[in-house]
Amino acid sequence: EVQVVQSGAEVRKPGESLKISCKGSGYRFTSYWIGWVRQMPGKGLEWMGIIYPGDSDTRYSPSFQGQVTISADKSISTAYLQWSSLKASDTAMYYCARWSSEVPYYFDYWGQGTLVTVSS
Amino acid sequence: AIQMTQSPSSLSASVGDRVTITCRASQGIRNDLGWYQQKPGKAPKVLISTASRLQSGVPSRFSGSGSGTDFTLTISGLQPEDFATYYCLQDNNYPWTFGQGTRVEIK
């Protein structure tokens, strides 16, 4: 059974660092892109970026380039989203999702979301 | 970046109504568009891929159409479980972009 499971909710202070995770199981992790999506409180979905764990090819939205780092450790089938210095405006729900490997293309399996709260 | 303009931002409808949501791309994206449904507190779920392909397990009252710059999601015969927020997503060109969302509420 395919599963995408994210790490739990986090509370941090502004300026702190954070790394959240997204673990894939039940499929060949290295053969599927994993994307990250932000949803700020009461707002819509924003595409942040995507990584191919097989070779770590990564694409970012310009809105998030330089603000976050997307990475993957294929040895443990886990993708990551990290911040080096959080801001209050990073408070949001973050979803990861698997991109299907063949036509038709779409996000077929989603994580349950990780709520990140940044507050002093 | 390609801008996806989704309309309306919200609508009120009754059970049984036909509902139409549109997404317009700022440049041609062929049929590289999906529609997602999100219910409160839940992750999004795909309804339609490649503009018009109904995903497995999605009721046939949902349909998608369009190509190029103009796309439509239609719900024919709204059901109580369809009250949710709907988003389009273009995957033609990086950065991929979502529409702003359409909240479908009960009238």
mmCIF file with all atom_site columns, all heavy atoms in Angstrom, chain A residues 39 44-45 47 59 95 99 104 106-107 110-111, chain B residues 36 38 42 44 49 53 55 87 94 96 98:
data_model
loop_
_atom_site.group_PDB
_atom_site.id
_atom_site.type_symbol
_atom_site.label_atom_id
_atom_site.label_alt_id
_atom_site.label_comp_id
_atom_site.label_asym_id
_atom_site.label_entity_id
_atom_site.label_seq_id
_atom_site.pdbx_PDB_ins_code
_atom_site.Cartn_x
_atom_site.Cartn_y
_atom_site.Cartn_z
_atom_site.occupancy
_atom_site.B_iso_or_equiv
_atom_site.pdbx_formal_charge
_atom_site.auth_seq_id
_atom_site.auth_comp_id
_atom_site.auth_asym_id
_atom_site.auth_atom_id
_atom_site.pdbx_PDB_model_num
ATOM 1   N N   . GLN A 1 39  ? 0.025   26.054 2.605   1.00 0.00 ? 39  GLN A N   1
ATOM 2   C CA  . GLN A 1 39  ? -1.296  26.634 2.777   1.00 0.00 ? 39  GLN A CA  1
ATOM 3   C C   . GLN A 1 39  ? -1.286  27.482 4.043   1.00 0.00 ? 39  GLN A C   1
ATOM 4   O O   . GLN A 1 39  ? -1.303  26.941 5.162   1.00 0.00 ? 39  GLN A O   1
ATOM 5   C CB  . GLN A 1 39  ? -2.391  25.573 2.839   1.00 0.00 ? 39  GLN A CB  1
ATOM 6   C CG  . GLN A 1 39  ? -3.789  26.163 2.841   1.00 0.00 ? 39  GLN A CG  1
ATOM 7   C CD  . GLN A 1 39  ? -4.850  25.136 2.542   1.00 0.00 ? 39  GLN A CD  1
ATOM 8   O OE1 . GLN A 1 39  ? -4.795  23.995 2.997   1.00 0.00 ? 39  GLN A OE1 1
ATOM 9   N NE2 . GLN A 1 39  ? -5.846  25.528 1.750   1.00 0.00 ? 39  GLN A NE2 1
ATOM 10  N N   . GLY A 1 44  ? -5.243  29.870 0.157   1.00 0.00 ? 44  GLY A N   1
ATOM 11  C CA  . GLY A 1 44  ? -5.199  28.835 -0.859  1.00 0.00 ? 44  GLY A CA  1
ATOM 12  C C   . GLY A 1 44  ? -3.893  28.063 -0.892  1.00 0.00 ? 44  GLY A C   1
ATOM 13  O O   . GLY A 1 44  ? -2.999  28.267 -0.069  1.00 0.00 ? 44  GLY A O   1
ATOM 14  N N   . LEU A 1 45  ? -3.811  27.175 -1.855  1.00 0.00 ? 45  LEU A N   1
ATOM 15  C CA  . LEU A 1 45  ? -2.638  26.318 -2.019  1.00 0.00 ? 45  LEU A CA  1
ATOM 16  C C   . LEU A 1 45  ? -1.573  27.052 -2.841  1.00 0.00 ? 45  LEU A C   1
ATOM 17  O O   . LEU A 1 45  ? -1.887  27.709 -3.828  1.00 0.00 ? 45  LEU A O   1
ATOM 18  C CB  . LEU A 1 45  ? -3.034  25.029 -2.732  1.00 0.00 ? 45  LEU A CB  1
ATOM 19  C CG  . LEU A 1 45  ? -4.157  24.221 -2.088  1.00 0.00 ? 45  LEU A CG  1
ATOM 20  C CD1 . LEU A 1 45  ? -4.513  23.027 -2.983  1.00 0.00 ? 45  LEU A CD1 1
ATOM 21  C CD2 . LEU A 1 45  ? -3.761  23.748 -0.702  1.00 0.00 ? 45  LEU A CD2 1
ATOM 22  N N   . TRP A 1 47  ? 2.208   26.231 -4.684  1.00 0.00 ? 47  TRP A N   1
ATOM 23  C CA  . TRP A 1 47  ? 3.226   25.255 -5.075  1.00 0.00 ? 47  TRP A CA  1
ATOM 24  C C   . TRP A 1 47  ? 4.602   25.808 -4.736  1.00 0.00 ? 47  TRP A C   1
ATOM 25  O O   . TRP A 1 47  ? 4.982   26.880 -5.201  1.00 0.00 ? 47  TRP A O   1
ATOM 26  C CB  . TRP A 1 47  ? 3.104   24.972 -6.573  1.00 0.00 ? 47  TRP A CB  1
ATOM 27  C CG  . TRP A 1 47  ? 3.990   23.904 -7.071  1.00 0.00 ? 47  TRP A CG  1
ATOM 28  C CD1 . TRP A 1 47  ? 3.740   22.564 -7.047  1.00 0.00 ? 47  TRP A CD1 1
ATOM 29  C CD2 . TRP A 1 47  ? 5.277   24.055 -7.679  1.00 0.00 ? 47  TRP A CD2 1
ATOM 30  N NE1 . TRP A 1 47  ? 4.793   21.878 -7.615  1.00 0.00 ? 47  TRP A NE1 1
ATOM 31  C CE2 . TRP A 1 47  ? 5.749   22.767 -8.018  1.00 0.00 ? 47  TRP A CE2 1
ATOM 32  C CE3 . TRP A 1 47  ? 6.087   25.152 -7.988  1.00 0.00 ? 47  TRP A CE3 1
ATOM 33  C CZ2 . TRP A 1 47  ? 6.977   22.539 -8.634  1.00 0.00 ? 47  TRP A CZ2 1
ATOM 34  C CZ3 . TRP A 1 47  ? 7.301   24.937 -8.606  1.00 0.00 ? 47  TRP A CZ3 1
ATOM 35  C CH2 . TRP A 1 47  ? 7.741   23.636 -8.914  1.00 0.00 ? 47  TRP A CH2 1
ATOM 36  N N   . ARG A 1 59  ? 13.294  21.602 -8.347  1.00 0.00 ? 59  ARG A N   1
ATOM 37  C CA  . ARG A 1 59  ? 12.791  22.844 -8.950  1.00 0.00 ? 59  ARG A CA  1
ATOM 38  C C   . ARG A 1 59  ? 12.050  23.626 -7.878  1.00 0.00 ? 59  ARG A C   1
ATOM 39  O O   . ARG A 1 59  ? 11.302  23.042 -7.102  1.00 0.00 ? 59  ARG A O   1
ATOM 40  C CB  . ARG A 1 59  ? 11.841  22.530 -10.114 1.00 0.00 ? 59  ARG A CB  1
ATOM 41  C CG  . ARG A 1 59  ? 12.371  21.504 -11.092 1.00 0.00 ? 59  ARG A CG  1
ATOM 42  C CD  . ARG A 1 59  ? 13.637  21.955 -11.804 1.00 0.00 ? 59  ARG A CD  1
ATOM 43  N NE  . ARG A 1 59  ? 14.203  20.903 -12.614 1.00 0.00 ? 59  ARG A NE  1
ATOM 44  C CZ  . ARG A 1 59  ? 13.962  20.744 -13.904 1.00 0.00 ? 59  ARG A CZ  1
ATOM 45  N NH1 . ARG A 1 59  ? 13.166  21.599 -14.539 1.00 0.00 ? 59  ARG A NH1 1
ATOM 46  N NH2 . ARG A 1 59  ? 14.516  19.756 -14.568 1.00 0.00 ? 59  ARG A NH2 1
ATOM 47  N N   . TYR A 1 95  ? 2.092   20.624 2.971   1.00 0.00 ? 95  TYR A N   1
ATOM 48  C CA  . TYR A 1 95  ? 1.784   19.294 2.467   1.00 0.00 ? 95  TYR A CA  1
ATOM 49  C C   . TYR A 1 95  ? 2.884   18.834 1.516   1.00 0.00 ? 95  TYR A C   1
ATOM 50  O O   . TYR A 1 95  ? 3.409   19.621 0.727   1.00 0.00 ? 95  TYR A O   1
ATOM 51  C CB  . TYR A 1 95  ? 0.474   19.301 1.669   1.00 0.00 ? 95  TYR A CB  1
ATOM 52  C CG  . TYR A 1 95  ? -0.765  19.575 2.462   1.00 0.00 ? 95  TYR A CG  1
ATOM 53  C CD1 . TYR A 1 95  ? -1.369  20.831 2.450   1.00 0.00 ? 95  TYR A CD1 1
ATOM 54  C CD2 . TYR A 1 95  ? -1.375  18.571 3.224   1.00 0.00 ? 95  TYR A CD2 1
ATOM 55  C CE1 . TYR A 1 95  ? -2.536  21.084 3.158   1.00 0.00 ? 95  TYR A CE1 1
ATOM 56  C CE2 . TYR A 1 95  ? -2.537  18.816 3.944   1.00 0.00 ? 95  TYR A CE2 1
ATOM 57  C CZ  . TYR A 1 95  ? -3.103  20.076 3.900   1.00 0.00 ? 95  TYR A CZ  1
ATOM 58  O OH  . TYR A 1 95  ? -4.260  20.314 4.611   1.00 0.00 ? 95  TYR A OH  1
ATOM 59  N N   . TRP A 1 99  ? 4.032   12.818 -7.112  1.00 0.00 ? 99  TRP A N   1
ATOM 60  C CA  . TRP A 1 99  ? 3.607   13.081 -8.485  1.00 0.00 ? 99  TRP A CA  1
ATOM 61  C C   . TRP A 1 99  ? 3.632   11.762 -9.247  1.00 0.00 ? 99  TRP A C   1
ATOM 62  O O   . TRP A 1 99  ? 4.628   11.047 -9.229  1.00 0.00 ? 99  TRP A O   1
ATOM 63  C CB  . TRP A 1 99  ? 4.542   14.099 -9.123  1.00 0.00 ? 99  TRP A CB  1
ATOM 64  C CG  . TRP A 1 99  ? 4.114   14.621 -10.453 1.00 0.00 ? 99  TRP A CG  1
ATOM 65  C CD1 . TRP A 1 99  ? 4.714   14.384 -11.660 1.00 0.00 ? 99  TRP A CD1 1
ATOM 66  C CD2 . TRP A 1 99  ? 3.010   15.498 -10.717 1.00 0.00 ? 99  TRP A CD2 1
ATOM 67  N NE1 . TRP A 1 99  ? 4.031   15.045 -12.654 1.00 0.00 ? 99  TRP A NE1 1
ATOM 68  C CE2 . TRP A 1 99  ? 2.989   15.735 -12.116 1.00 0.00 ? 99  TRP A CE2 1
ATOM 69  C CE3 . TRP A 1 99  ? 2.032   16.099 -9.924  1.00 0.00 ? 99  TRP A CE3 1
ATOM 70  C CZ2 . TRP A 1 99  ? 2.034   16.558 -12.727 1.00 0.00 ? 99  TRP A CZ2 1
ATOM 71  C CZ3 . TRP A 1 99  ? 1.094   16.917 -10.530 1.00 0.00 ? 99  TRP A CZ3 1
ATOM 72  C CH2 . TRP A 1 99  ? 1.098   17.145 -11.904 1.00 0.00 ? 99  TRP A CH2 1
ATOM 73  N N   . PRO A 1 104 ? -1.750  9.641  -16.936 1.00 0.00 ? 104 PRO A N   1
ATOM 74  C CA  . PRO A 1 104 ? -1.861  11.078 -16.698 1.00 0.00 ? 104 PRO A CA  1
ATOM 75  C C   . PRO A 1 104 ? -1.096  11.502 -15.449 1.00 0.00 ? 104 PRO A C   1
ATOM 76  O O   . PRO A 1 104 ? -0.995  10.735 -14.489 1.00 0.00 ? 104 PRO A O   1
ATOM 77  C CB  . PRO A 1 104 ? -3.367  11.266 -16.504 1.00 0.00 ? 104 PRO A CB  1
ATOM 78  C CG  . PRO A 1 104 ? -3.812  9.985  -15.878 1.00 0.00 ? 104 PRO A CG  1
ATOM 79  C CD  . PRO A 1 104 ? -2.960  8.922  -16.507 1.00 0.00 ? 104 PRO A CD  1
ATOM 80  N N   . TYR A 1 106 ? -0.408  13.746 -12.145 1.00 0.00 ? 106 TYR A N   1
ATOM 81  C CA  . TYR A 1 106 ? -1.123  14.484 -11.098 1.00 0.00 ? 106 TYR A CA  1
ATOM 82  C C   . TYR A 1 106 ? -0.520  14.086 -9.761  1.00 0.00 ? 106 TYR A C   1
ATOM 83  O O   . TYR A 1 106 ? 0.233   13.104 -9.651  1.00 0.00 ? 106 TYR A O   1
ATOM 84  C CB  . TYR A 1 106 ? -2.627  14.183 -11.131 1.00 0.00 ? 106 TYR A CB  1
ATOM 85  C CG  . TYR A 1 106 ? -2.979  12.719 -10.998 1.00 0.00 ? 106 TYR A CG  1
ATOM 86  C CD1 . TYR A 1 106 ? -3.334  12.191 -9.764  1.00 0.00 ? 106 TYR A CD1 1
ATOM 87  C CD2 . TYR A 1 106 ? -2.962  11.867 -12.101 1.00 0.00 ? 106 TYR A CD2 1
ATOM 88  C CE1 . TYR A 1 106 ? -3.650  10.854 -9.619  1.00 0.00 ? 106 TYR A CE1 1
ATOM 89  C CE2 . TYR A 1 106 ? -3.282  10.529 -11.973 1.00 0.00 ? 106 TYR A CE2 1
ATOM 90  C CZ  . TYR A 1 106 ? -3.629  10.025 -10.739 1.00 0.00 ? 106 TYR A CZ  1
ATOM 91  O OH  . TYR A 1 106 ? -3.936  8.689  -10.606 1.00 0.00 ? 106 TYR A OH  1
ATOM 92  N N   . PHE A 1 107 ? -0.860  14.857 -8.709  1.00 0.00 ? 107 PHE A N   1
ATOM 93  C CA  . PHE A 1 107 ? -0.462  14.483 -7.355  1.00 0.00 ? 107 PHE A CA  1
ATOM 94  C C   . PHE A 1 107 ? -1.417  13.398 -6.886  1.00 0.00 ? 107 PHE A C   1
ATOM 95  O O   . PHE A 1 107 ? -2.594  13.666 -6.633  1.00 0.00 ? 107 PHE A O   1
ATOM 96  C CB  . PHE A 1 107 ? -0.523  15.699 -6.424  1.00 0.00 ? 107 PHE A CB  1
ATOM 97  C CG  . PHE A 1 107 ? 0.634   16.642 -6.574  1.00 0.00 ? 107 PHE A CG  1
ATOM 98  C CD1 . PHE A 1 107 ? 0.426   17.977 -6.892  1.00 0.00 ? 107 PHE A CD1 1
ATOM 99  C CD2 . PHE A 1 107 ? 1.940   16.207 -6.384  1.00 0.00 ? 107 PHE A CD2 1
ATOM 100 C CE1 . PHE A 1 107 ? 1.499   18.861 -7.017  1.00 0.00 ? 107 PHE A CE1 1
ATOM 101 C CE2 . PHE A 1 107 ? 3.019   17.077 -6.514  1.00 0.00 ? 107 PHE A CE2 1
ATOM 102 C CZ  . PHE A 1 107 ? 2.790   18.403 -6.831  1.00 0.00 ? 107 PHE A CZ  1
ATOM 103 N N   . TRP A 1 110 ? -1.075  12.158 -1.105  1.00 0.00 ? 110 TRP A N   1
ATOM 104 C CA  . TRP A 1 110 ? -0.725  13.327 -0.313  1.00 0.00 ? 110 TRP A CA  1
ATOM 105 C C   . TRP A 1 110 ? -0.406  12.908 1.123   1.00 0.00 ? 110 TRP A C   1
ATOM 106 O O   . TRP A 1 110 ? -1.032  11.987 1.666   1.00 0.00 ? 110 TRP A O   1
ATOM 107 C CB  . TRP A 1 110 ? -1.895  14.304 -0.284  1.00 0.00 ? 110 TRP A CB  1
ATOM 108 C CG  . TRP A 1 110 ? -2.175  14.990 -1.577  1.00 0.00 ? 110 TRP A CG  1
ATOM 109 C CD1 . TRP A 1 110 ? -2.743  14.437 -2.701  1.00 0.00 ? 110 TRP A CD1 1
ATOM 110 C CD2 . TRP A 1 110 ? -1.922  16.359 -1.890  1.00 0.00 ? 110 TRP A CD2 1
ATOM 111 N NE1 . TRP A 1 110 ? -2.844  15.391 -3.694  1.00 0.00 ? 110 TRP A NE1 1
ATOM 112 C CE2 . TRP A 1 110 ? -2.354  16.579 -3.226  1.00 0.00 ? 110 TRP A CE2 1
ATOM 113 C CE3 . TRP A 1 110 ? -1.383  17.440 -1.180  1.00 0.00 ? 110 TRP A CE3 1
ATOM 114 C CZ2 . TRP A 1 110 ? -2.248  17.819 -3.864  1.00 0.00 ? 110 TRP A CZ2 1
ATOM 115 C CZ3 . TRP A 1 110 ? -1.283  18.671 -1.807  1.00 0.00 ? 110 TRP A CZ3 1
ATOM 116 C CH2 . TRP A 1 110 ? -1.714  18.852 -3.128  1.00 0.00 ? 110 TRP A CH2 1
ATOM 117 N N   . GLY A 1 111 ? 0.518   13.643 1.720   1.00 0.00 ? 111 GLY A N   1
ATOM 118 C CA  . GLY A 1 111 ? 0.720   13.501 3.151   1.00 0.00 ? 111 GLY A CA  1
ATOM 119 C C   . GLY A 1 111 ? -0.430  14.153 3.900   1.00 0.00 ? 111 GLY A C   1
ATOM 120 O O   . GLY A 1 111 ? -1.275  14.845 3.305   1.00 0.00 ? 111 GLY A O   1
ATOM 121 N N   . TYR B 2 36  ? -8.380  19.816 -8.180  1.00 0.00 ? 36  TYR B N   1
ATOM 122 C CA  . TYR B 2 36  ? -8.286  19.201 -6.864  1.00 0.00 ? 36  TYR B CA  1
ATOM 123 C C   . TYR B 2 36  ? -9.399  19.728 -5.973  1.00 0.00 ? 36  TYR B C   1
ATOM 124 O O   . TYR B 2 36  ? -9.764  20.905 -6.052  1.00 0.00 ? 36  TYR B O   1
ATOM 125 C CB  . TYR B 2 36  ? -6.921  19.499 -6.229  1.00 0.00 ? 36  TYR B CB  1
ATOM 126 C CG  . TYR B 2 36  ? -5.775  18.854 -6.983  1.00 0.00 ? 36  TYR B CG  1
ATOM 127 C CD1 . TYR B 2 36  ? -5.277  19.430 -8.146  1.00 0.00 ? 36  TYR B CD1 1
ATOM 128 C CD2 . TYR B 2 36  ? -5.229  17.653 -6.555  1.00 0.00 ? 36  TYR B CD2 1
ATOM 129 C CE1 . TYR B 2 36  ? -4.250  18.827 -8.861  1.00 0.00 ? 36  TYR B CE1 1
ATOM 130 C CE2 . TYR B 2 36  ? -4.197  17.044 -7.268  1.00 0.00 ? 36  TYR B CE2 1
ATOM 131 C CZ  . TYR B 2 36  ? -3.728  17.636 -8.422  1.00 0.00 ? 36  TYR B CZ  1
ATOM 132 O OH  . TYR B 2 36  ? -2.723  17.036 -9.127  1.00 0.00 ? 36  TYR B OH  1
ATOM 133 N N   . GLN B 2 38  ? -10.543 20.168 -1.937  1.00 0.00 ? 38  GLN B N   1
ATOM 134 C CA  . GLN B 2 38  ? -10.040 20.155 -0.562  1.00 0.00 ? 38  GLN B CA  1
ATOM 135 C C   . GLN B 2 38  ? -11.174 20.443 0.401   1.00 0.00 ? 38  GLN B C   1
ATOM 136 O O   . GLN B 2 38  ? -11.887 21.439 0.256   1.00 0.00 ? 38  GLN B O   1
ATOM 137 C CB  . GLN B 2 38  ? -8.922  21.183 -0.359  1.00 0.00 ? 38  GLN B CB  1
ATOM 138 C CG  . GLN B 2 38  ? -8.279  21.075 1.023   1.00 0.00 ? 38  GLN B CG  1
ATOM 139 C CD  . GLN B 2 38  ? -7.204  22.100 1.269   1.00 0.00 ? 38  GLN B CD  1
ATOM 140 O OE1 . GLN B 2 38  ? -7.272  23.223 0.789   1.00 0.00 ? 38  GLN B OE1 1
ATOM 141 N NE2 . GLN B 2 38  ? -6.194  21.712 2.052   1.00 0.00 ? 38  GLN B NE2 1
ATOM 142 N N   . LYS B 2 42  ? -8.345  18.806 5.668   1.00 0.00 ? 42  LYS B N   1
ATOM 143 C CA  . LYS B 2 42  ? -7.878  17.633 4.915   1.00 0.00 ? 42  LYS B CA  1
ATOM 144 C C   . LYS B 2 42  ? -6.919  18.042 3.800   1.00 0.00 ? 42  LYS B C   1
ATOM 145 O O   . LYS B 2 42  ? -6.933  19.185 3.342   1.00 0.00 ? 42  LYS B O   1
ATOM 146 C CB  . LYS B 2 42  ? -9.067  16.890 4.292   1.00 0.00 ? 42  LYS B CB  1
ATOM 147 C CG  . LYS B 2 42  ? -10.082 16.381 5.290   1.00 0.00 ? 42  LYS B CG  1
ATOM 148 C CD  . LYS B 2 42  ? -9.494  15.287 6.156   1.00 0.00 ? 42  LYS B CD  1
ATOM 149 C CE  . LYS B 2 42  ? -10.557 14.651 7.036   1.00 0.00 ? 42  LYS B CE  1
ATOM 150 N NZ  . LYS B 2 42  ? -9.970  13.635 7.945   1.00 0.00 ? 42  LYS B NZ  1
ATOM 151 N N   . PRO B 2 44  ? -5.644  18.027 -0.076  1.00 0.00 ? 44  PRO B N   1
ATOM 152 C CA  . PRO B 2 44  ? -6.361  18.020 -1.364  1.00 0.00 ? 44  PRO B CA  1
ATOM 153 C C   . PRO B 2 44  ? -6.435  16.613 -1.946  1.00 0.00 ? 44  PRO B C   1
ATOM 154 O O   . PRO B 2 44  ? -5.614  15.742 -1.625  1.00 0.00 ? 44  PRO B O   1
ATOM 155 C CB  . PRO B 2 44  ? -5.520  18.941 -2.245  1.00 0.00 ? 44  PRO B CB  1
ATOM 156 C CG  . PRO B 2 44  ? -4.769  19.799 -1.289  1.00 0.00 ? 44  PRO B CG  1
ATOM 157 C CD  . PRO B 2 44  ? -4.493  18.921 -0.097  1.00 0.00 ? 44  PRO B CD  1
ATOM 158 N N   . SER B 2 49  ? -7.443  14.990 -14.147 1.00 0.00 ? 49  SER B N   1
ATOM 159 C CA  . SER B 2 49  ? -6.084  15.254 -14.608 1.00 0.00 ? 49  SER B CA  1
ATOM 160 C C   . SER B 2 49  ? -6.112  15.491 -16.109 1.00 0.00 ? 49  SER B C   1
ATOM 161 O O   . SER B 2 49  ? -7.106  15.176 -16.786 1.00 0.00 ? 49  SER B O   1
ATOM 162 C CB  . SER B 2 49  ? -5.160  14.094 -14.270 1.00 0.00 ? 49  SER B CB  1
ATOM 163 O OG  . SER B 2 49  ? -5.565  12.933 -14.971 1.00 0.00 ? 49  SER B OG  1
ATOM 164 N N   . ARG B 2 53  ? -9.564  14.157 -17.769 1.00 0.00 ? 53  ARG B N   1
ATOM 165 C CA  . ARG B 2 53  ? -9.582  12.744 -17.390 1.00 0.00 ? 53  ARG B CA  1
ATOM 166 C C   . ARG B 2 53  ? -10.040 12.570 -15.948 1.00 0.00 ? 53  ARG B C   1
ATOM 167 O O   . ARG B 2 53  ? -9.350  12.997 -15.009 1.00 0.00 ? 53  ARG B O   1
ATOM 168 C CB  . ARG B 2 53  ? -8.210  12.122 -17.591 1.00 0.00 ? 53  ARG B CB  1
ATOM 169 C CG  . ARG B 2 53  ? -8.212  10.620 -17.376 1.00 0.00 ? 53  ARG B CG  1
ATOM 170 C CD  . ARG B 2 53  ? -6.886  10.011 -17.673 1.00 0.00 ? 53  ARG B CD  1
ATOM 171 N NE  . ARG B 2 53  ? -6.433  10.218 -19.048 1.00 0.00 ? 53  ARG B NE  1
ATOM 172 C CZ  . ARG B 2 53  ? -5.564  9.450  -19.669 1.00 0.00 ? 53  ARG B CZ  1
ATOM 173 N NH1 . ARG B 2 53  ? -5.053  8.394  -19.061 1.00 0.00 ? 53  ARG B NH1 1
ATOM 174 N NH2 . ARG B 2 53  ? -5.177  9.732  -20.885 1.00 0.00 ? 53  ARG B NH2 1
ATOM 175 N N   . GLN B 2 55  ? -10.435 10.921 -12.585 1.00 0.00 ? 55  GLN B N   1
ATOM 176 C CA  . GLN B 2 55  ? -9.603  9.943  -11.864 1.00 0.00 ? 55  GLN B CA  1
ATOM 177 C C   . GLN B 2 55  ? -10.453 8.838  -11.268 1.00 0.00 ? 55  GLN B C   1
ATOM 178 O O   . GLN B 2 55  ? -11.636 9.022  -10.938 1.00 0.00 ? 55  GLN B O   1
ATOM 179 C CB  . GLN B 2 55  ? -8.780  10.645 -10.804 1.00 0.00 ? 55  GLN B CB  1
ATOM 180 C CG  . GLN B 2 55  ? -7.679  11.508 -11.391 1.00 0.00 ? 55  GLN B CG  1
ATOM 181 C CD  . GLN B 2 55  ? -6.879  10.756 -12.435 1.00 0.00 ? 55  GLN B CD  1
ATOM 182 O OE1 . GLN B 2 55  ? -6.807  11.147 -13.598 1.00 0.00 ? 55  GLN B OE1 1
ATOM 183 N NE2 . GLN B 2 55  ? -6.254  9.664  -12.024 1.00 0.00 ? 55  GLN B NE2 1
ATOM 184 N N   . TYR B 2 87  ? -9.475  23.682 -6.553  1.00 0.00 ? 87  TYR B N   1
ATOM 185 C CA  . TYR B 2 87  ? -8.308  24.362 -7.102  1.00 0.00 ? 87  TYR B CA  1
ATOM 186 C C   . TYR B 2 87  ? -7.905  23.741 -8.429  1.00 0.00 ? 87  TYR B C   1
ATOM 187 O O   . TYR B 2 87  ? -7.937  22.511 -8.578  1.00 0.00 ? 87  TYR B O   1
ATOM 188 C CB  . TYR B 2 87  ? -7.103  24.222 -6.163  1.00 0.00 ? 87  TYR B CB  1
ATOM 189 C CG  . TYR B 2 87  ? -7.266  24.851 -4.807  1.00 0.00 ? 87  TYR B CG  1
ATOM 190 C CD1 . TYR B 2 87  ? -7.783  24.126 -3.742  1.00 0.00 ? 87  TYR B CD1 1
ATOM 191 C CD2 . TYR B 2 87  ? -6.878  26.177 -4.579  1.00 0.00 ? 87  TYR B CD2 1
ATOM 192 C CE1 . TYR B 2 87  ? -7.920  24.705 -2.482  1.00 0.00 ? 87  TYR B CE1 1
ATOM 193 C CE2 . TYR B 2 87  ? -7.010  26.756 -3.327  1.00 0.00 ? 87  TYR B CE2 1
ATOM 194 C CZ  . TYR B 2 87  ? -7.540  26.012 -2.294  1.00 0.00 ? 87  TYR B CZ  1
ATOM 195 O OH  . TYR B 2 87  ? -7.672  26.590 -1.045  1.00 0.00 ? 87  TYR B OH  1
ATOM 196 N N   . TYR B 2 94  ? 7.463   25.124 -15.219 1.00 0.00 ? 94  TYR B N   1
ATOM 197 C CA  . TYR B 2 94  ? 7.861   25.526 -13.879 1.00 0.00 ? 94  TYR B CA  1
ATOM 198 C C   . TYR B 2 94  ? 7.930   27.052 -13.792 1.00 0.00 ? 94  TYR B C   1
ATOM 199 O O   . TYR B 2 94  ? 8.388   27.705 -14.736 1.00 0.00 ? 94  TYR B O   1
ATOM 200 C CB  . TYR B 2 94  ? 9.235   24.949 -13.540 1.00 0.00 ? 94  TYR B CB  1
ATOM 201 C CG  . TYR B 2 94  ? 9.264   23.455 -13.358 1.00 0.00 ? 94  TYR B CG  1
ATOM 202 C CD1 . TYR B 2 94  ? 10.029  22.646 -14.190 1.00 0.00 ? 94  TYR B CD1 1
ATOM 203 C CD2 . TYR B 2 94  ? 8.526   22.841 -12.351 1.00 0.00 ? 94  TYR B CD2 1
ATOM 204 C CE1 . TYR B 2 94  ? 10.064  21.272 -14.022 1.00 0.00 ? 94  TYR B CE1 1
ATOM 205 C CE2 . TYR B 2 94  ? 8.556   21.472 -12.165 1.00 0.00 ? 94  TYR B CE2 1
ATOM 206 C CZ  . TYR B 2 94  ? 9.328   20.697 -13.007 1.00 0.00 ? 94  TYR B CZ  1
ATOM 207 O OH  . TYR B 2 94  ? 9.360   19.331 -12.828 1.00 0.00 ? 94  TYR B OH  1
ATOM 208 N N   . TRP B 2 96  ? 5.113   25.435 -11.329 1.00 0.00 ? 96  TRP B N   1
ATOM 209 C CA  . TRP B 2 96  ? 3.718   25.071 -11.392 1.00 0.00 ? 96  TRP B CA  1
ATOM 210 C C   . TRP B 2 96  ? 2.933   26.057 -10.523 1.00 0.00 ? 96  TRP B C   1
ATOM 211 O O   . TRP B 2 96  ? 3.463   26.579 -9.540  1.00 0.00 ? 96  TRP B O   1
ATOM 212 C CB  . TRP B 2 96  ? 3.520   23.636 -10.895 1.00 0.00 ? 96  TRP B CB  1
ATOM 213 C CG  . TRP B 2 96  ? 4.238   22.618 -11.740 1.00 0.00 ? 96  TRP B CG  1
ATOM 214 C CD1 . TRP B 2 96  ? 4.915   22.828 -12.919 1.00 0.00 ? 96  TRP B CD1 1
ATOM 215 C CD2 . TRP B 2 96  ? 4.363   21.241 -11.450 1.00 0.00 ? 96  TRP B CD2 1
ATOM 216 N NE1 . TRP B 2 96  ? 5.444   21.658 -13.378 1.00 0.00 ? 96  TRP B NE1 1
ATOM 217 C CE2 . TRP B 2 96  ? 5.115   20.657 -12.498 1.00 0.00 ? 96  TRP B CE2 1
ATOM 218 C CE3 . TRP B 2 96  ? 3.913   20.420 -10.410 1.00 0.00 ? 96  TRP B CE3 1
ATOM 219 C CZ2 . TRP B 2 96  ? 5.423   19.300 -12.531 1.00 0.00 ? 96  TRP B CZ2 1
ATOM 220 C CZ3 . TRP B 2 96  ? 4.218   19.073 -10.452 1.00 0.00 ? 96  TRP B CZ3 1
ATOM 221 C CH2 . TRP B 2 96  ? 4.964   18.523 -11.498 1.00 0.00 ? 96  TRP B CH2 1
ATOM 222 N N   . PHE B 2 98  ? -1.065  27.069 -8.791  1.00 0.00 ? 98  PHE B N   1
ATOM 223 C CA  . PHE B 2 98  ? -2.457  26.803 -8.477  1.00 0.00 ? 98  PHE B CA  1
ATOM 224 C C   . PHE B 2 98  ? -3.303  28.039 -8.782  1.00 0.00 ? 98  PHE B C   1
ATOM 225 O O   . PHE B 2 98  ? -2.809  29.180 -8.701  1.00 0.00 ? 98  PHE B O   1
ATOM 226 C CB  . PHE B 2 98  ? -2.630  26.511 -6.973  1.00 0.00 ? 98  PHE B CB  1
ATOM 227 C CG  . PHE B 2 98  ? -2.169  25.154 -6.531  1.00 0.00 ? 98  PHE B CG  1
ATOM 228 C CD1 . PHE B 2 98  ? -0.908  24.983 -5.972  1.00 0.00 ? 98  PHE B CD1 1
ATOM 229 C CD2 . PHE B 2 98  ? -3.011  24.053 -6.635  1.00 0.00 ? 98  PHE B CD2 1
ATOM 230 C CE1 . PHE B 2 98  ? -0.481  23.725 -5.542  1.00 0.00 ? 98  PHE B CE1 1
ATOM 231 C CE2 . PHE B 2 98  ? -2.604  22.796 -6.193  1.00 0.00 ? 98  PHE B CE2 1
ATOM 232 C CZ  . PHE B 2 98  ? -1.338  22.632 -5.656  1.00 0.00 ? 98  PHE B CZ  1
#
